[in-house]
Amino acid sequence: MKLLRLGLVFLGFVALPAFAGVLDEIKARDKVRCGVNPGLAGFAAKTERGEWQGLDIDICRAVAAAALGDTSKVIIKDLPVKDGLTALKSGEIDLLTRNLAWTMGRETLFGLSFAGVVFHDGQGFLVRKKLGIVSALELSGTTVCTQSSTTATANATEFFRSRQMKHEMISFAKPEEVLQAYEVGRCQVVAADITQLNAMRLRLPRPEEHLVLPEIFSKEPLGPVVRQGDDQWATLVKWTIYALVNAEELGVTAANAEAMRKSEVPDIRRLLGTEGDFGKGLGLDQDWAYRAIKAVGNYGEIYTRNLGTGSPLNIPRGVNNLWNRGGILYAPPIR
């Protein structure tokens, strides 16, 4: 009898997750609410016409296309890291897509779940060329600016401590405050993710006078985050990401997605919804992945447009290339 009662308690717990029905709420609202970086070139930034663009924005729009059939059905909220985590936890937003690094602490301490990795980054340092510094090992005795509530401060502190290098650390709440402090000379170094450093360098009056040092001293797997307690919503976001990666591997693009629906290749047919019914388990119809790809393109198109050769950043794909092209991007198959 005692065992039976325990079983009933367990079953009751499983049947009543903390945040059940996020997808149902989104369908009723007809909008996906995404929290993004207040302004990071390549990931989330506004154009001169006030339109959002970036990799994180495209991920949000891809999810909206899969869930609601329309990339415009999004509400974008620019939120600093700390505010973003709080907004997600409280239910103010449905998805946090703001170049956030996947760490154990962020999942176990905040009750959140990372739905996948959309960019493999690493931390580095930005300096003025006139200092004559060409390696991070020459930074002893410098003052370093970082953004608080990110992994940057802890990672940079560990870098200096493990090498017994003296330094001073100054942290600011917002990235623009970090950049301003660097510009006026309050610090000689900025510590942040490599992508953020490249974006910051382009915002300086004379970008050519500044250098991102070659060393990368941390692993920063960046990806979208959801609340724990709703496996259906987490699975939908996760498989939307996988669909974009699989699309690149299979050669499916925004331009040819419609034509590719006539393909006889089983992997392509399952991806585009002409074979099987894999949307059912997500609470969607069979065209969910087709809509996402048609709307924003495959992962390679998204990367090129926002971070690669089609953007001012022009960051090489590197480890963010597909597994069969020298990178580490690998998506489970749809089958």
Side-chain angles (χ1 to χ4, degrees):
M1 181 62 72
K2 182 177 180 181
L3 182 60
L4 177 60
R5 285 198 299 268
L6 287 173
L8 290 173
V9 170
F10 178 74
L11 289 173
F13 174 77
V14 172
L16 296 171
F19 281 96
V22 173
L23 179 57
D24 289 338
E25 293 175 6
I26 287 170
K27 287 180 176 179
R29 188 191 313 121
D30 206 29
K31 296 283 185 181
V32 176
R33 302 169 302 178
C34 295
V36 303
N37 194 303
L40 176 59
F43 286 89
K46 285 187 176 181
T47 65
E48 293 181 354
R49 293 187 297 178
E51 299 171 346
W52 283 102
Q53 66 178 18
L55 184 146
D56 287 337
I57 300 297
D58 280 343
I59 295 299
C60 176
R61 288 174 175 156
V63 171
L68 301 174
D70 191 340
T71 57
S72 69
K73 293 184 176 182
V74 295
I75 298 173
I76 303 296
K77 297 188 177 185
D78 53 332
L79 300 165
V81 175
K82 187 176 180 180
D83 293 345
L85 293 172
T86 301
L88 181 61
K89 182 71 174 176
S90 68
E92 181 184 340
I93 57 175
D94 309 305
L95 183 63
L96 186 61
T97 55
R98 61 144 355 269
N99 67 295
L100 196 67
W102 189 345
T103 68
M104 181 178 179
R106 281 177 172 156
E107 286 204 326
T108 59
L109 299 178
F110 286 94
L112 306 174
S113 291
F114 280 79
V117 178
V118 296
F119 189 88
H120 295 271
D121 208 348
Q123 206 165 302
F125 296 110
L126 174 71
V127 299
R128 290 175 173 80
K129 288 183 178 180
K130 68 179 183 181
L131 295 178
I133 295 174
V134 295
S135 168
L137 299 177
E138 301 173 319
L139 294 176
S140 183
T142 58
T143 300
V144 183
C145 283
T146 65
Q147 184 182 352
S148 58
S149 300
T150 69
T151 55
T153 303
N155 286 337
T157 299
E158 290 177 3
F159 174 87
F160 285 100
R161 186 179 64 190
S162 64
R163 293 164 178 78
Q164 298 182 333
M165 296 167 60
K166 294 182 179 180
H167 71 287
E168 180 183 357
M169 196 77 67
I170 307 176
S171 295
F172 300 88
K174 300 178 180 179
E176 54 266 28
E177 294 173 344
V178 174
L179 189 60
Q180 183 180 22
Y182 174 75
E183 281 190 81
V184 301
R186 289 191 61 185
C187 53
Q188 296 87 46
V189 185
V190 175
D193 290 349
I194 294 296
T195 48
Q196 187 163 10
L197 294 178
N198 278 288
M200 284 182 167
R201 189 179 69 83
L202 291 177
R203 291 172 57 189
L204 292 166
R206 295 182 177 83
E208 69 280 1
E209 295 181 0
H210 304 267
L211 171 70
V212 177
L213 297 178
E215 291 89 354
I216 298 176
F217 59 91
S218 74
K219 293 186 295 183
E220 305 294 327
L222 311 180
V225 195
V226 298
R227 294 185 295 275
Q228 290 180 7
D230 191 328
D231 291 343
Q232 182 187 41
W233 176 236
T235 302
L236 189 158
V237 176
K238 175 171 60 180
W239 279 98
T240 299
I241 296 169
Y242 290 156
L244 299 176
V245 175
N246 278 321
E248 182 182 10
E249 185 175 339
L250 294 169
V252 180
T253 68
N256 71 14
E258 179 63 36
M260 291 288 265
R261 302 191 82 179
K262 299 177 182 178
S263 171
E264 294 300 323
V265 178
D267 284 338
I268 295 177
R269 292 178 62 81
R270 287 190 293 267
L271 174 69
L272 298 179
T274 56
E275 183 174 309
D277 189 8
F278 294 94
K280 186 176 180 180
L282 302 176
L284 304 175
D285 60 32
Q286 62 185 18
D287 292 338
W288 63 277
Y290 165 76
R291 289 194 298 269
I293 299 161
K294 182 73 174 174
V296 301
N298 63 41
Y299 179 85
E301 291 178 279
I302 294 170
Y303 187 101
T304 298
R305 179 168 62 243
N306 296 301
L307 298 167
T309 54
S311 82
L313 294 173
N314 195 18
I315 301 173
R317 285 286 293 266
V319 294
N320 290 292
N321 215 331
L322 295 174
W323 64 280
N324 55 3
R325 298 179 190 171
I328 61 175
L329 280 194
Y330 187 102
I334 296 175
R335 61 174 52 195

